[in-house]
Structure formats: C-alpha cells, structure tokens
Amino acid sequence: MNFEKIKYQTYLLSVLLFFLIHQIFYLIQGGNTYDELFLIYESGNIYNKIRLFFTDNNNPLLYDIGVNEYYGFLVVLPIYILANSTTINNLFEIFYINLDIQQQDEILYFNMHILLNIYVVVVLFFIYRKLLNFYNKNTSLLVVIFIIIFPSFNGQSLFNIKDIPYALQLFLGVIYLYSCLYNLNLGKNQNKKEILLTGTNIGLACLLRVNAYGFIGLVSLYFLIITIYKKRDLVLYLKTNFYVYFISLIVVIVGSPSSWKSPFRWLFDALIHQFFYEWSGYTLTNGKFIEASNVSSTYLIEWF
C-alpha cells in the first residue's frame, strides 16, 4: 500500500472539505447578484429549446438567440436543473428548515450556490491530479491551497456562476494542452486518449466562453515557436493541434443547444459578441467604482 499517496490525498480532501464548509457557512450570510436572475431565465429558455429541438424542430423559437445564450451554460444549466429537482430540495430540506428559509426563489438561489461550490471542489481535485504531471505532491497541493485562500476566488465562488467556472475550466484546459504539446515536443508517442481528453477540456472551457480559444491558443503559439526553433516535426505538431481543436469544436457545438439549428452562425455571432461587446456598467472594487468602458492600464492589478 502506498501510504505516501494516501497521505497526500487525505491532505487534499481535507483542504477541499474545509473549503466547502467555509463556503456554505458564508453562503448563509450572503445573497445573490443581479445577473443570476437572467441566468435563471436563460437556463429555462435553453432547457425549453432542447425539448423543442426534439419535439418541434421547426419551431421559430429555435432561431431566436438571446444575448446571454452566446455564453456557454456548461455549469449554469446542469446546476439550474439540479437546483429545481425534488431530490436536491429534499436533501437540503432540513438545512433550510433550520435557517427558516421558506421562499422558493431563495431556496433556488441557495441550491445553485451550494452546487456551484461542490462543482468548484470537484474541478480543483482534477486540477491537482493534472498538476502532478509537472510538479511534486507538495507543490501541487500548495497551488490548490493558494487558489482557495485567495479572497477574489473564495469570495466570487460564493455566487459567481459564470466567471469562476470559466477561470477553472480555462486553467484546466491550458494544463491539458500544455501537457499534450510538451510531451509531443519531447518526442513521446501521442495516444488517442490524451488528444481526446485535451480537446474535450479545451471544449469545456470554450463552452463557458468561446473567447477561451484566444487564451488557450497562446499555448499552441508558444509550442509552435519551439517546434520551429528546435526543428521538430512540424507536420505532426500541426496535425495534433488540428485534432485537439476539432474535438473541442465538436464539444462546443454539442454542448450549446442554442447552436444546434445553425451552428456556424451561432459560433460566428458568439465570437463577435464576446470579443467586441461593450459593457457600460461599473464594478465596485476595493471601495472604488471602476467603469468598464474606461478602465486604467492598472485595473487588473487593482482587481488582483
């Protein structure tokens, strides 16, 4: 029996369990955001489109795409469906009775936030496992701990059902692609499973926002430069990237019900919307209102 492996898995699970308890405790003291109302509406809308696609395929509603539908509902839609399920409501019933929570809307928000944090814990576990390809157990565990103790992360994880999943899936997608291309650069044989998993994880990130391709693509660009500089097999490199991104594109289309009637139109519109959409609102950060359309060059440092 590998006691060293068991020890680190125990450490990891303990850290993640503590994080989950911490999050649930502060959920009781928090609330919900304005955006969530629209996410709930669009989740119901997309769920209805799935039903229409198979029962009334010529319904004109299938061609009517709302602005929020250009953002992937990889996490939001399953959480919305589960949060409305009888099973989840029965599971958390004692919890809500003790807190004297009776409003159905409030119960829905609580269900969604708890399920969001369960999702976060699961993805952090997979991030740890993948980091072991590059670092030892100590370093991999420290990366996970650093992520969860960071105020912007654990605070946003209480309610941010769009950006937190996007950050985690983007991180996981980058790790998978880096690992795949790193092994290719070392001359290791590529197997179909690795290419499939890499493409799937990139697709999952892009299911949240298609502009993830722009960030993840930097990894491919980096290894393209290395491949040319070190005179590696360029054809093999290009073929591997083609397979990976092709698989990711299939995942994006299959996982976006709004695209099923017109996938290329949806993909083009989603890219245009996510790269060029201008939001004119404000964000309150560290006691200061930051205008989205007029940010300073140091705004990311302030947010960090």
Side-chain angles (χ1 to χ4, degrees):
M1 185 179 291
N2 191 336
F3 289 102
E4 185 74 12
K5 182 178 180 181
I6 294 173
K7 182 179 74 171
Y8 274 95
Q9 285 187 347
T10 303
Y11 289 160
L12 174 66
L13 293 175
S14 299
V15 166
L16 294 178
L17 179 61
F18 176 79
F19 170 75
L20 184 59
I21 293 171
H22 170 276
Q23 296 300 98
I24 292 175
F25 174 78
Y26 280 100
L27 279 176
I28 299 169
Q29 304 180 44
N32 54 279
T33 64
Y34 180 74
D35 286 353
E36 287 182 89
L37 180 64
F38 297 100
L39 291 175
I40 289 172
Y41 170 78
E42 289 295 1
S43 295
N45 188 30
I46 291 174
Y47 180 67
N48 187 48
K49 282 188 175 181
I50 295 173
R51 290 172 53 250
L52 287 175
F53 183 83
F54 293 104
T55 59
D56 186 10
N57 194 258
N58 293 317
N59 195 303
L61 289 175
L62 291 170
Y63 296 94
D64 185 18
I65 301 176
V67 171
N68 286 313
E69 292 179 66
Y70 292 124
Y71 296 92
F73 279 70
L74 168 70
V75 177
V76 180
L77 184 58
I79 284 180
Y80 168 79
I81 294 171
L82 285 172
N84 278 291
S85 71
T86 304
T87 303
I88 293 297
N89 280 290
N90 290 340
L91 184 64
F92 296 150
E93 184 177 12
I94 297 176
F95 178 70
Y96 294 131
I97 290 174
N98 291 331
L99 293 173
D100 195 27
I101 298 174
Q102 301 175 8
Q103 294 288 336
Q104 192 57 43
D105 287 346
E106 193 174 4
I107 290 174
L108 175 61
Y109 284 123
F110 259 89
N111 285 350
M112 291 179 69
H113 294 164
I114 291 173
L115 290 167
L116 168 63
N117 281 275
I118 292 173
Y119 156 83
V120 168
V121 166
V122 171
V123 177
L124 285 172
F125 176 80
F126 284 110
I127 285 175
Y128 168 82
R129 293 290 298 272
K130 195 60 183 176
L131 285 172
L132 293 176
N133 289 356
F134 305 99
Y135 308 111
N136 58 35
K137 294 182 177 68
N138 271 333
T139 305
S140 299
L141 184 60
L142 284 173
V143 170
V144 172
I145 292 173
F146 175 79
I147 292 173
I148 65 176
I149 66 173
F150 200 73
S152 292
F153 181 82
N154 57 54
Q156 293 282 325
S157 294
L158 292 172
F159 59 86
N160 196 331
I161 206 166
K162 290 193 303 184
D163 298 329
I164 290 298
Y166 179 60
L168 290 174
Q169 294 293 163
L170 184 61
F171 187 26
L172 198 56
V174 166
I175 296 173
Y176 265 93
L177 182 60
Y178 189 95
S179 175
C180 177
L181 298 181
Y182 180 77
N183 290 335
L184 182 68
N185 187 61
L186 291 178
K188 294 182 180 180
N189 292 329
Q190 294 293 293
N191 59 71
K192 294 179 180 179
K193 181 181 177 181
E194 183 178 16
I195 292 174
L196 179 62
L197 286 174
T198 301
T200 300
N201 276 279
I202 292 174
L204 292 177
C206 295
L207 264 176
L208 289 157
R209 281 193 179 91
V210 179
N211 61 14
Y213 279 121
F215 299 105
I216 294 174
L218 295 174
V219 178
S220 293
L221 179 62
Y222 170 74
F223 278 101
L224 174 62
I225 295 170
I226 291 179
T227 300
I228 294 173
Y229 178 75
K230 293 187 175 181
K231 298 181 180 179
R232 305 294 191 195
D233 191 336
L234 182 59
V235 173
L236 180 60
Y237 170 83
L238 294 174
K239 282 176 61 178
T240 301
N241 274 271
F242 173 79
Y243 292 140
V244 164
Y245 284 105
F246 182 72
I247 291 169
S248 75
L249 194 58
I250 293 174
V251 172
V252 169
I253 297 301
V254 171
S256 302
S258 300
S259 73
W260 290 352
K261 287 297 288 184
S262 186
F264 295 108
R265 175 198 156 197
W266 177 89
L267 184 61
F268 177 79
D269 289 346
L271 287 168
I272 295 298
H273 178 79
Q274 292 183 29
F275 278 104
F276 300 105
Y277 177 72
E278 293 186 4
W279 183 60
S280 58
Y282 289 80
T283 301
L284 180 62
T285 305
N286 297 331
K288 288 192 278 186
F289 282 101
I290 300 175
E291 186 181 1
S293 58
N294 186 30
V295 296
S296 67
S297 58
T298 60
Y299 85 98
L300 282 178
I301 298 174
E302 291 182 46
W303 284 18
F304 187 75

